[in-house]
Amino acid sequence: MRIRYGYRIELVCAREMPLVTLLDVHPSRRHDLTMPDDMRVSALANPLLPIAVAQHLDAFGNICRRMVAPPGGIRLESEGVVHDSGEPDCIHPAAREVAPSRLPDEALVYLLGSRYCETDKLFDQAWALFGQVAPGWPRVQAIVDFVHNHLTFGYHFARNTRTAAEAFEERIGVCRDFAHLAIALCRCMNIPARYCNGYLGDIGVPPDPAPMDFNAWFEVFLGGRWYTFDARHNEPRIGRIVIARGRDATDTAMICSFGMHTLQRFEVITEEVSDTPMPLAPSLPAQFDARPAAA
C-alpha cells in the first residue's frame, strides 16, 4: 500500500531564532519513499527570503535540520508518499528476554533511566506488578495492558513536563505519557525499551474524528531484535512511519527552538492513497486538519 504523509508548521517570532528539527522520515524507512519529501522552508514575512538549512544525523541516527528563523517567523512544510507492507505490527509471543550481560552494546542505553522515564521511582512498583509474570513477550504485553488501562487518554491532559512517575500517579496523559510509562516499567524489568514518534493514520481501524497529529509509541528488544508496542492503542496497527527514536521525548523533540515564539499553525496528514502514481502537489492541501501538538 501507499501512504501519503506530511505537515505544515508555522512559528512566529519577533527576533532571529535558531531551530533544530526532527521532522524527516527516519533513515530506516527512507528506502520505502516513492516520492520525495524534502522540507520546504520559507519566511512568513517574506517568502522569497532565502533560509539556509543544514542537515546531520544525531547520536540516535535521526535526521536533524538546523536553520535560523528570521524576524517574523518561519513556515516548515513537507509532503511525501511511502510504500508500506500493509501488515500490522508483528506479534511474537515466544520472543524471549535477553539478559543484560548478553545485550548488544547499543541496547544498553535503553535500560537506563532518562529525563521522562525515572526507573528509580518506579522500580518497586514494576517488580510488584510484573515480577511474577512470565518473562519475555508476556511480561511486556502485561505492562502494555496495565498502562493502557491505568491511564485515561485526553488531549486536554497534555503537559510537556509530565514524567512516567507522574503519569503513574495522575493516571492521565496523551500518547507520549503512555509510551513513557510503559518504557520506564520495561526498563525496571531489565527489558531495553526506546521511544518512537512518527505518523500513524487511521488505516484498518474506524476513523478517529479528532484532527490528525503525530503519534508516540515504543519498541522493546526481545529475542535479538526490536518489536513495536503501543500502550495507548494496545492493538496491532498498520502504517506506522517512524520519524525519530531515542531514550524518551527529550531525544525526539520535533522542533527545538532557541528563543521565544508562538505556534501559529500545526497541521499533519497521513492517509492511504491509491496505488496509481500521482504527482505531488506544490504545497499541502487547504483541507488539512489541525490537532494540538500534544502526542
Side-chain angles (χ1 to χ4, degrees), residues 93 95-97 130-140 191 222:
R96 302 174 63 87
E97 292 179 19
F130 310 110
Q132 302 305 312
V133 179
W137 190 280
R139 179 173 282 167
V140 176
I191 302 170
L222 293 172

Side-chain angles (χ1 to χ4, degrees), residues 152-167:
T152 298
F153 178 87
Y155 286 103
H156 57 291
F157 296 140
R159 188 176 77 238
N160 61 7
T161 60
R162 182 182 290 117
T163 67
E166 291 170 343

Side-chain angles (χ1 to χ4, degrees), residues 8 265 267 284-289:
R8 179 186 286 154
R265 194 169 190 175
E267 302 169 351
L284 299 180
Q287 67 267 24
F288 265 32
D289 292 320

Side-chain angles (χ1 to χ4, degrees), residues 70-106:
I74 195 168
R75 176 185 295 116
L76 311 172
E77 56 187 336
S78 181
E79 181 181 0
V81 177
V82 64
H83 177 269
D84 191 84
S85 68
E87 296 294 325
D89 301 327
C90 178
I91 299 177
H92 187 22
R96 302 174 63 87
E97 292 179 19
V98 179
S101 61
R102 301 182 61 186
L103 285 170
D105 295 342
E106 60 271 17

Side-chain angles (χ1 to χ4, degrees), residues 156-229:
H156 57 291
F157 296 140
R159 188 176 77 238
N160 61 7
T161 60
R162 182 182 290 117
T163 67
E166 291 170 343
F168 182 87
E169 294 297 329
E170 297 173 21
R171 306 188 66 164
I172 57 174
V174 291
C175 59
R176 62 178 265 164
D177 301 305
F178 283 71
H180 283 151
L181 180 53
I183 287 169
L185 293 172
C186 284
R187 292 177 185 171
C188 288
M189 305 305 296
N190 295 326
I191 302 170
R194 63 189 184 188
Y195 183 93
C196 305
N197 64 28
Y199 298 94
L200 179 62
D202 299 326
I203 300 174
V205 297
D208 186 338
M212 189 60 63
D213 193 2
F214 294 112
N215 271 261
W217 59 89
F218 72 107
E219 296 172 345
V220 300
F221 192 83
L222 293 172
R225 56 160 287 187
W226 292 96
Y227 289 94
T228 297
F229 287 87

Side-chain angles (χ1 to χ4, degrees), residues 9 27 42 70 73 80 103 109 111 133 141 153 171 173 191 197 220 237-238 242 264 269 281 290 294:
I9 300 170
S42 57
L103 285 170
V109 67
L111 283 179
V133 179
Q141 187 59 58
F153 178 87
R171 306 188 66 164
I191 302 170
N197 64 28
V220 300
R237 293 290 296 268
I238 298 170
V242 177
Q264 175 173 276
I269 192 168

Side-chain angles (χ1 to χ4, degrees), residues 254-268:
M254 292 185 166
I255 298 177
C256 288
S257 60
F258 303 92
M260 299 296 294
H261 72 272
T262 300
L263 179 62
Q264 175 173 276
R265 194 169 190 175
F266 181 87
E267 302 169 351
V268 177

